[in-house]
Amino acid sequence: MSTEWEGVEAKKPLMAARNNRASSIWVVVASTAVAVAGSFVFGISVGYSSPSQEGIMQDLHLSLAEYSVFGSILTIGAMLGAIVSGTIADRVGRRCAMAISDVFCILGYLLIVFSKNSVWLDLGRLSIGCGIGLLSYVVPVYISEITPKNLRGRFAAVNQLMICCGASLAYALGTCITWRTLAIVGVTPCLLQLVGLLVIPESPRWLAKIGHSGALEEALQKLRGKETDISEEAADIKDFTEKLQHLPQSKMLDLFQKDYIHAVTVSILVMHLWLQRRCLCIIF
């Protein structure tokens, strides 16, 4: 009898550890779900102009050239948003950066919903582009910074999946609802993300970067579970962040050094082909 009791007692710590790991994974899953709502907005925004073309051109009496500007100006906004995305995310944090991008997207979609002419349409589309340009950087960075090493690749892949899902939904809904209603649909994930950002933890690595050790440990504990020993991971994050801060500051001209020019050239060509394909999808 005593042997059986000892066996039960021995299993309790193991069961508690499993429950703790399960609860912590759900925090990471929920945080990732909130973040990839931005990826969903990205997909809807990319896919919006294709099914809306006929309705917008008829209702606002746009020429093909005017509508082409509306469709393609998204990429200009995305470029502007991407240029400042790193600076914004580092200065105000990952959560606040996602909130800023949501504001840009909401403003853009509302301009489209209430648009009376091509100027409102273009300003709205440009605003959405700025928002998704910021999201394209901050969402995968946030996911990679909150997930454990053994799950990082799988969770990061959800970002691209949700972009495809958003674009597919825009194509499907655009065939059965008006373009103004479809714009309202684009606002919905932005609002959901704004609410979710109030409860998910900030990136521990960003907190370490700005020197908030207490907040770093609190966020990491929330992500890994209350009973998990986070001291080693927290120390690794602090050590890595400190080493990064002591590295010499890189300049734009450093990209054109002999050691990097080949990789930079290949990267630019790949991105050019990707953007060219996106532009063709948006316009046609």
Side-chain angles (χ1 to χ4, degrees):
M1 185 72 178
S2 61
T3 304
E4 293 179 0
W5 178 255
E6 290 174 357
V8 172
E9 289 294 317
K11 290 180 180 179
K12 284 184 177 180
L14 294 175
M15 294 175 62
R18 288 175 183 173
N19 292 334
N20 182 58
R21 284 197 297 270
S23 62
S24 66
I25 285 297
W26 280 112
V27 174
V28 176
V29 169
S31 301
T32 302
V34 171
V36 296
S39 307
F40 197 72
V41 176
F42 189 115
I44 290 178
S45 302
V46 169
Y48 176 83
S49 61
S50 181
S52 303
Q53 179 175 353
E54 184 177 354
I56 292 177
M57 291 181 67
Q58 287 180 355
D59 293 349
L60 300 184
H61 309 291
L62 301 185
S63 66
L64 181 60
E66 288 175 322
Y67 191 82
S68 296
V69 171
F70 167 74
S72 59
I73 202 171
L74 179 80
T75 56
I76 298 176
M79 179 183 66
L80 296 175
I83 289 173
V84 298
S85 60
T87 302
I88 293 175
D90 286 344
R91 289 189 177 180
V92 302
R94 313 319 189 200
R95 289 192 309 171
C96 192
M98 285 187 277
I100 292 172
S101 66
D102 286 331
V103 172
F104 272 105
C105 290
I106 290 172
L107 176 62
Y109 275 118
L110 290 179
L111 283 171
I112 291 175
V113 169
F114 298 106
S115 61
K116 302 296 182 182
N117 52 53
S118 61
V119 175
W120 286 39
L121 279 176
D122 293 343
L123 289 176
R125 190 74 166 161
L126 184 67
S127 179
I128 294 170
C130 292
I132 67 172
L134 181 53
L135 284 169
S136 66
Y137 169 80
V138 71
V139 169
V141 167
Y142 177 78
I143 294 173
S144 65
E145 290 180 344
I146 66 168
T147 49
K149 291 180 181 180
N150 61 321
L151 299 174
R152 193 164 295 158
R154 280 172 279 182
F155 275 80
V158 181
N159 173 53
Q160 188 63 38
L161 174 64
M162 293 306 292
I163 291 175
C164 297
C165 289
S168 299
L169 181 67
Y171 293 141
L173 290 180
T175 61
C176 54
I177 60 177
T178 66
W179 59 274
R180 296 187 192 272
T181 305
L182 186 59
I184 295 174
V185 172
V187 174
T188 306
C190 298
L191 296 175
L192 292 176
Q193 187 177 54
L194 280 175
V195 174
L197 289 173
L198 298 174
V199 295
I200 64 174
E202 181 55 89
S203 163
R205 292 186 180 273
W206 179 76
L207 292 170
K209 184 175 183 179
I210 62 174
H212 289 185
S213 298
L216 154 67
E217 294 176 1
E218 182 181 347
L220 195 58
Q221 193 74 71
K222 188 174 182 180
L223 288 165
R224 300 296 179 261
K226 293 181 179 180
E227 306 300 325
T228 304
D229 182 9
I230 61 165
S231 57
E232 183 177 351
E233 185 175 1
D236 289 341
I237 291 174
K238 292 177 185 177
D239 183 56
F240 180 76
T241 304
E242 187 176 347
K243 288 179 180 178
L244 278 180
Q245 291 176 342
H246 283 87
L247 290 175
Q249 293 293 323
S250 299
K251 300 178 182 179
M252 184 66 70
L253 292 177
D254 293 341
L255 292 173
F256 300 98
Q257 293 180 4
K258 185 179 179 180
D259 294 339
Y260 309 124
I261 191 64
H262 177 72
V264 170
T265 303
V266 172
S267 301
I268 292 174
L269 288 174
V270 171
M271 285 304 298
H272 173 73
L273 293 173
W274 182 84
L275 286 172
Q276 188 179 47
R277 187 184 66 177
R278 288 290 187 186
C279 288
L280 291 173
C281 291
I282 289 169
I283 294 171
F284 298 107

